[in-house]
């Protein structure tokens, strides 16, 4: 008889919302529980980010999915972003992931304030677990927490002591979550005044649909002219409005105002619970955080320390990332070279080399800067210093529509706008965050420097000013300053128009200083890097392939055949000449020892890649082999012929690449729009190079090299490209025969590049961070128009004074 075993219990997914006040260590605990088992996405229909993670317990078939709810002090939302956070906690944003259980993390050093949110959360009607974090700081501050008494005062809600920075209590918290998830019924716990409860119950009874929990009705009651009230009236119409007005009138009649009605009951109850369960030992010494803040928030020393820290971060993004970025660039360059040499020439080879490999490389090259920046940001946030940064610089930023928390994103954008824009996630206010995002690309990033370098070196006369300044440095500094000034003006305009903000008194909590956990920092950095590669990288790759197609097609078949036949002719002639020289060497009567010496000479010359080195190697071999002068001379002549052949072929290859690019759809676009850019002093070649550089502005150097038949391998230090640009003439029209470039044209190009958003990665990242293409497209349009007008003004002004 066959034994029939018991079927294992079926697993189910239990959704757990993790909430708490800002700076309570919630994210650190979330990361300690979930590790790398996280997913980052947006809530359906909104731009607020949702981070979820999972864990399982031994002998428990259930899967626990944690949802990291943005930090909040209350369920009464005062901004759209806070409203979204509350909707997520209540399960209104994503019904399929509505929380089955809520974990409320509390900073034990501010327990009375944190209880305010907890009392509201307990009205939702879901099982609740309290995580009492920073128990180590409580002990240092002389606080003793009576956990059993606190649980009793909270009506039996389990309270788990935690030290998130050390991972202590995490297993106990997971066990409590599993235990509470199996609770069949949650007892009602009311911390409000009886009249408030009766008012909410009356609304629940009369409406009988929609907002079904007491927490939701309480939120509507106290949300005057807020998003919760608007959503309620939109759903229930005039009946809902009348019922809401009646409820509010009764509360105002009893308490005098809705604010007092909401806060009085909860703050009084929080004080009572704290008094009964928290005991403080008398201490006259200041806390460690207060001692540190004496220096870091000092009106003079504080800003100095901040600038030193920011300078270190800024320099690190440049210096630490550069070797890794160069390594990534070299790696993809080598891969492209290997693929190109392994395949027959044609569109597939070009697509793989220039489109796909080049596109992937253009995505991954940003990773070092993103990782380094977010390592610092995560450290500053988790240590508690980030709120101090915002406090110190908020006054300097607020007048023009920015926040103190805009400082780090804007500073980071001087290295690269992509990580700078991603860093705006530290700004809670959505309008301030969007303003910062919209002006961040105006900061002069490192990709603009090659353009500035070649234009300044080639066309700005070098002079000494005031005895210690030089004109090149002044022009470069003015370009940096131009981006800053325009960013301030744009943010000021946005603040007073389409993104009008009304800031009240600036208040910010100064959390205790903490030692960040390595795991929490690494998890956050990993998620940011993964998000960029997966979400932004795909679009950047698509843009790169599109530009490749425009620059590759159409192919002029006759021209390719002509160049190929000319290259084949050079190779054939060179082969014949080399064969004749080898035959001449063979005719020399050489002993075995002399033959070996001759082979050595040939091998030594074969290593020479530059014609300039040939004479030096020949002189060296004359000294080593004075008895083999004829063989050395023939080997020298042989390598001279080979190098000359390689140079002729390279020139033809560059000519062919330049001809193809000039005949491509991109080249035709350059000719078509040339009249549009004529007021800027540009010919069609500059215009085409600028169009090609819209995905990445630094591409203009390689494009100009290709246009002028020097190949795409030139850089801003190329003297041959500088000379070609200086020699360039207008091909037709009224300016035919005149020089294309002048100081006025160079300034026009640099101003355009200083203000234009020529970076596909930046545009895509703006869409990713705002959740809407309208912002990304809006940035591209306003910066392009601004750049065009400013460049035209500069050219017209300086050309009229003969510069």
């Amino acid at each position: 008889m066959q034994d029939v075993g018991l079927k294992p219990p079926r697993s189910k997914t239990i959704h757990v919302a993790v909430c708490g006040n800002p700076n309570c260590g919630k994210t650190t605990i979330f990361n300690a529980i979930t590790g790398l088992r996280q997913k980052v996405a947006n809530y359906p229909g909104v731009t607020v980010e949702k981070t979820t993670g999972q864990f399982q317990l031994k002998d428990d078939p259930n899967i626990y999915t944690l949802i990291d709810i943005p930090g909040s002090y209350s369920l009464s939302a005062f901004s759209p972003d806070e409203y979204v956070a509350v909707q997520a906690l209540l399960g209104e944003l994503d019904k399929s992931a509505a929380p089955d259980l809520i974990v409320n993390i509390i900073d034990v050093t501010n327990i009375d304030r944190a209880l305010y949110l907890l009392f509201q959360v307990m009205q939702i009607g879901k099982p609740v677990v309290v995580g009492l974090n920073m128990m180590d700081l409580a002990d240092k501050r002389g606080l003793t927490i009576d956990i059993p008494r606190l649980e009793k005062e909270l009506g039996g809600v389990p309270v788990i002591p935690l030290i998130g920075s050390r991972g202590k209590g995490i297993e106990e918290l997971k066990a409590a979550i599993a235990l509470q998830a199996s609770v069949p019924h949650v007892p009602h716990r009311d911390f409000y005044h009886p009249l408030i409860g009766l008012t909410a119950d009356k609304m629940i009874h009369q409406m009988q649909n929609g907002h079904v929990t007491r927490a939701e009705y309480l939120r509507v009651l106290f949300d005057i002219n807020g998003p919760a009230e608007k959503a309620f009236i939109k759903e229930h119409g005039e009946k809902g409005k009348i019922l809401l007005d009646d409820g509010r009138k009764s509360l105002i009649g009893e308490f005098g105002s809705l604010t007092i009605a909401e806060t009085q009951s909860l703050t009084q109850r929080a004080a009572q619970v704290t008094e009964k369960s928290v005991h403080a030992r008398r201490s006259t010494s200041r806390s460690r955080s207060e001692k540190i803040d004496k220096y870091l928030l000092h009106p003079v020393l504080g800003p100095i320390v901040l600038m030193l820290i920011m300078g270190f971060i800024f320099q690190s993004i440049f210096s630490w990332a550069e070797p890794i970025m160069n390594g990534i660039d070299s790696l993809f360059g080598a891969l492209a070279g290997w693929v190109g040499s392994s395949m027959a020439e044609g569109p597939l080879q070009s697509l793989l080399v220039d489109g796909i490999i080049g596109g992937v490389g253009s995505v991954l090259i940003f990773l070092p800067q993103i990782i380094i920046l977010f390592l610092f940001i995560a450290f500053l946030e988790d240590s508690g210093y980030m709120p101090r940064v915002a406090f110190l610089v908020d006054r300097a930023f607020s007048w023009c529509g920015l926040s103190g928390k805009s400082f780090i994103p804007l500073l980071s954008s001087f290295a690269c706008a992509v990580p700078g824009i991603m860093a705006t996630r530290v700004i809670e206010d959505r309008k301030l965050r969007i303003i910062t995002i919209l002006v961040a690309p105006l900061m002069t990033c490192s990709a603009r420097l090659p353009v500035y370098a070649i234009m300044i070196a080639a066309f700005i006369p070098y002079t000494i000013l005031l005895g210690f300044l030089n004109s090149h440095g002044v022009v470069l500094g003015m370009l940096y300053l131009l981006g800053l000034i325009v960013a301030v003006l744009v943010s000021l305009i946005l603040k007073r128009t389409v993104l009008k903000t009304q800031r009240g008194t600036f208040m910010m909590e100064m959390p205790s200083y903490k030692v960040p956990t390595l795991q929490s920092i690494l998890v956050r950095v990993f998620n940011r890097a993964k998000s960029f590669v997966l979400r932004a990288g795909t679009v950047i790759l698509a843009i790169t392939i599109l530009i490749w197609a425009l620059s590759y097609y159409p192919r002029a078949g006759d021209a390719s055949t002509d160049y190929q036949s000319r290259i084949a002719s050079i190779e054939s002639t060179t082969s014949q000449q080399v064969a004749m020289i080898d035959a001449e060497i063979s005719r020399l009567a050489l002993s075995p020892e002399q033959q070996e010496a001759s082979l050595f000479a040939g091998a030594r010359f074969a290593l020479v890649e530059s014609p300039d080195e040939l004479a030096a190697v020949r002189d060296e071999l004359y000294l080593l082999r004075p008895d083999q002068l004829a063989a050395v001379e023939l080997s020298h002549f042989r390598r001279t012929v080979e190098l000359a052949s390689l140079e002729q072929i390279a020139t033809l290859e560059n000519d062919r690449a330049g001809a193809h690019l000039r005949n491509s759809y991109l080249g035709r676009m350059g000719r078509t729009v040339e009249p549009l850019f004529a007021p800027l002093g540009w010919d069609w070649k500059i215009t085409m190079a600028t169009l090609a550089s819209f995905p990445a502005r630094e591409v203009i150097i390689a494009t100009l090299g290709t246009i002028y038949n020097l190949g795409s391998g030139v850089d801003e230090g190329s003297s041959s490209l500088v000379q070609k640009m200086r020699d360039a003439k207008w091909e037709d029209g009224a300016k035919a025969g005149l020089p294309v470039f002048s100081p006025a044209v160079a300034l026009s190009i640099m101003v355009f590049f200083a203000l234009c958003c020529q970076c596909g990665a930046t545009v895509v990242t703006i869409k990713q961070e705002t959740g809407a293409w309208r912002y990304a497209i809006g940035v591209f349009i306003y910066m392009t128009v601004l750049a065009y007008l400013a460049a035209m003004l500069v050219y017209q002004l300086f050309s009229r004074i003969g510069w």
Side-chain angles (χ1 to χ4, degrees), residues 211-230:
H211 299 261
V212 295
T213 71
R214 173 178 284 204
E216 293 170 275
Y217 278 102
L218 290 170
R219 184 168 57 118
V220 172
L221 268 174
F222 298 121
D223 186 43
I224 303 176
N225 297 323
E229 176 192 289
K230 293 176 183 177

Side-chain angles (χ1 to χ4, degrees), residues 199 202-203 206-207 220-221 229 232-234 236-250:
T199 303
K202 180 181 178 182
M203 294 179 69
Q206 294 194 18
M207 299 310 303
V220 172
L221 268 174
E229 176 192 289
F232 179 80
I233 294 175
K234 181 179 180 180
H236 298 291
E238 190 63 24
K239 177 184 176 181
K241 186 177 187 304
I242 294 172
L243 183 62
L244 183 58
D245 290 341
D246 290 344
R248 286 174 173 174
K249 285 178 183 178
S250 65

Side-chain angles (χ1 to χ4, degrees), residues 539-765:
V539 182
I540 297 170
L541 178 60
I543 292 173
T544 304
I545 293 175
L546 174 62
I547 295 297
W548 164 82
L550 290 174
S551 61
Y552 185 83
Y553 291 105
R555 305 300 280 180
D558 294 341
S560 290
T561 302
D562 177 59
Y563 279 108
Q564 195 59 46
S565 64
R566 291 163 66 185
I567 290 172
S569 175
I570 293 172
E571 289 175 341
S572 176
T573 301
T574 302
S575 178
Q576 293 174 11
Q577 288 179 308
V578 168
M580 292 172 61
I581 295 170
D582 288 341
E584 188 65 26
I585 293 174
S586 298
R587 281 194 290 269
L588 295 174
L590 301 176
S591 66
E593 181 181 342
Q594 291 173 329
Q595 289 178 359
E596 182 181 349
S598 177
L599 291 173
F600 172 78
R604 181 68 180 86
F605 277 115
L607 297 175
V608 177
E609 298 293 338
S610 168
D612 298 334
E613 299 177 24
L614 282 173
V617 173
R618 181 184 58 187
D619 294 341
E620 172 193 332
L621 291 174
Y622 278 168
L623 294 174
L624 290 174
R625 297 292 179 181
D627 57 330
Q628 293 296 315
L629 297 184
V632 169
E633 192 63 39
L634 286 171
S635 296
H636 171 267
F637 181 52
R638 184 183 192 276
R639 188 56 180 165
T640 301
V641 171
E642 290 177 334
L643 289 179
S645 170
L646 292 174
E647 185 177 356
Q648 289 177 318
I649 291 174
T651 300
L652 285 174
E653 292 283 8
N654 291 336
D655 289 348
R656 177 169 63 173
H660 281 314
L661 184 58
R662 291 189 290 272
N663 188 59
S664 67
Y665 291 123
L666 198 62
R668 296 176 185 183
M669 289 169 60
R671 286 190 177 88
T672 301
V673 301
E674 182 186 46
L676 180 63
F677 287 87
L680 280 65
W682 301 2
D683 70 346
W684 72 268
K685 294 179 181 178
I686 300 175
T687 303
M688 188 186 81
T690 302
L691 292 175
S693 67
F694 269 93
R697 52 179 61 89
E698 62 270 26
V699 170
I700 188 174
I701 304 297
T703 307
L704 285 171
T706 304
I707 292 173
Y708 289 117
N709 298 338
L710 295 174
S712 60
V714 298
D715 57 24
E716 63 273 18
S718 172
S719 58
S720 56
L721 178 57
V722 168
Q723 193 58 49
K724 282 280 189 179
M725 292 164 62
R726 287 172 174 169
D727 295 339
K729 308 292 183 184
W730 283 87
E731 297 175 351
D732 49 34
K735 296 182 179 180
L738 295 176
V740 171
F741 289 91
S742 66
V745 172
L747 287 172
S748 170
I749 294 171
M750 288 188 287
V751 168
F752 187 90
F753 273 74
L755 301 179
C756 189
C757 188
Q758 293 158 287
C759 181
T762 297
V763 174
V764 175
T765 305

